[in-house]
Amino acid sequence: MTGRYTHVVVRGVPSSLAQEADGKVDLARAQRESGVLCGILRQKLGLQVMELPPNEDLPRGQLIGDMAVVIADTALITRPSNPARRKETEGLQKLFEELKFRVCELTDESATLDASDILFTGTEIFVGLSKWTNLRGAEMVAKTYQDYAVSTVPVAGDLHLKSFCSMGGPDTLVIGSSDTAKKALKMMEQLTDHHYETLTVPDDPAANCIYARVGPKSNVLVHRNAEEYPNSVQVFQKLTDYTLVPASCTEVSKIGGCLTACSILINRKLEI
């Protein structure tokens, strides 16, 4: 089931991040935003935060959510298309093994896969075929998670699938309004037998949210804040039965990151 989590893995922000995106990243702000998000995950979602230290050799290491996906009892460690980022997966296998997950690591040299292209709905998996993820990578997702239907969705440009969509509830897709987002949604609707409600927001980046089920009844949605996307926030405010938690993501967005890319969400009920 999507939305039920107990732990989350994050990585600290290295000073070397300031050199990315042609030096346009505000390091101090990036560190503040990361700290606020960790606080939200711990306090609002009630998760046990497992924070890996920043690594100066991994300037984009904060985007740990690109490096692995955890579904049911299996963790899949991905293989980024950018060779410079492949070191970011180091240490994850040991961490997941300590959490008693079955661990699969993508080692096929013909495959590329970013976890930001993997959308798990709770009943099935959509994989974006993008600049970052190829068909062989998607085939490895299907091989790893044979209990779930896996479908592929073409994604144009420099985007990931989750650059413009995410889960906003057990059967709700949050989707952006661009032509790319509309085409992807149409494709997903054609590929599935399951009915999803859709929540359409005017800004694609705002469609990337973190949904969590807290306690027996509480729905929590962590979303981009009104300073960044005021029109999309107005749409979220119509969700009267949700606890809405705004979060800023301005600095990692400069390097192609999003809210879901800043953490790996885990559902594991055991003592760590």
Side-chain angles (χ1 to χ4, degrees):
M1 176 184 292
T2 187
R4 294 284 190 187
Y5 305 110
T6 57
H7 299 74
V8 61
V9 182
V10 299
R11 180 180 276 132
V13 180
S15 299
S16 55
L17 175 63
Q19 307 307 315
E20 297 292 293
D22 299 322
K24 296 178 181 177
V25 176
D26 183 330
L27 179 62
R29 183 168 183 174
Q31 292 170 333
R32 288 197 302 272
E33 290 179 344
S34 176
V36 169
L37 181 59
C38 286
I40 289 170
L41 296 169
R42 181 181 292 110
Q43 296 165 18
K44 300 293 186 180
L45 273 59
L47 305 181
Q48 180 170 325
V49 177
M50 308 172 71
E51 184 168 4
L52 303 180
N55 186 330
E56 295 303 327
D57 294 330
L58 307 176
R60 300 186 177 218
Q62 182 188 357
L63 300 181
I64 195 169
D66 284 339
M67 299 299 119
V69 61
V70 181
I71 298 172
D73 64 348
T74 301
L76 173 61
I77 299 174
T78 63
R79 187 172 187 272
S81 60
N82 182 351
R85 294 198 65 195
R86 290 176 190 160
K87 291 182 180 179
E88 294 175 32
T89 64
E90 293 177 0
L92 291 180
Q93 179 167 345
K94 181 180 179 181
L95 184 150
F96 291 132
E97 286 176 346
E98 290 175 351
L99 289 167
K100 310 300 182 185
F101 283 102
R102 180 173 77 97
V103 182
C104 298
E105 186 165 8
L106 189 52
T107 57
D108 187 331
E109 294 186 358
S110 66
T112 59
L113 178 67
D114 270 12
S116 287
D117 276 318
I118 302 173
L119 179 66
F120 176 54
T121 71
T123 57
E124 61 189 315
I125 302 169
F126 293 105
V127 182
L129 296 182
S130 69
K131 175 181 176 180
W132 317 102
T133 296
N134 63 16
L135 182 59
R136 185 58 180 152
E139 289 172 348
M140 297 307 293
V141 174
K143 183 178 180 181
T144 302
Y145 297 108
Q146 296 183 21
D147 290 342
Y148 297 96
V150 177
S151 303
T152 57
V153 181
V155 178
D158 291 337
L159 301 173
H160 292 95
L161 177 60
K162 289 166 74 173
S163 296
F164 50 78
C165 73
S166 62
M167 297 307 295
D171 295 297
T172 300
L173 285 167
V174 185
I175 191 81
S177 296
S178 69
D179 287 342
T180 298
K182 290 175 181 176
K183 288 177 182 177
L185 177 61
K186 184 176 181 180
M187 176 66 74
M188 288 189 282
E189 289 175 338
Q190 291 173 346
L191 290 169
T192 185
D193 294 327
H194 192 79
H195 174 71
Y196 297 101
E197 300 294 332
T198 56
L199 180 69
T200 303
V201 294
D203 308 289
D204 277 12
N208 180 270
C209 309
I210 299 173
Y211 166 74
R213 187 83 167 161
V214 179
K217 295 182 179 180
S218 180
N219 294 300
V220 179
L221 194 70
V222 184
H223 60 85
R224 302 288 285 272
N225 66 23
E227 179 185 345
E228 296 176 292
Y229 299 107
N231 294 330
S232 291
V233 169
Q234 289 180 14
V235 176
F236 293 131
Q237 288 173 344
K238 297 176 183 177
L239 299 171
T240 55
D241 57 342
Y242 278 57
T243 298
L244 300 175
V245 183
S248 182
C249 192
T250 61
E251 301 312 303
V252 294
S253 68
K254 295 175 182 177
I255 58 170
C258 54
L259 281 176
T260 58
C262 295
S263 65
I264 303 171
L265 293 164
I266 295 172
N267 187 5
R268 206 64 169 157
K269 293 182 179 179
L270 48 79
E271 295 297 326
I272 307 301

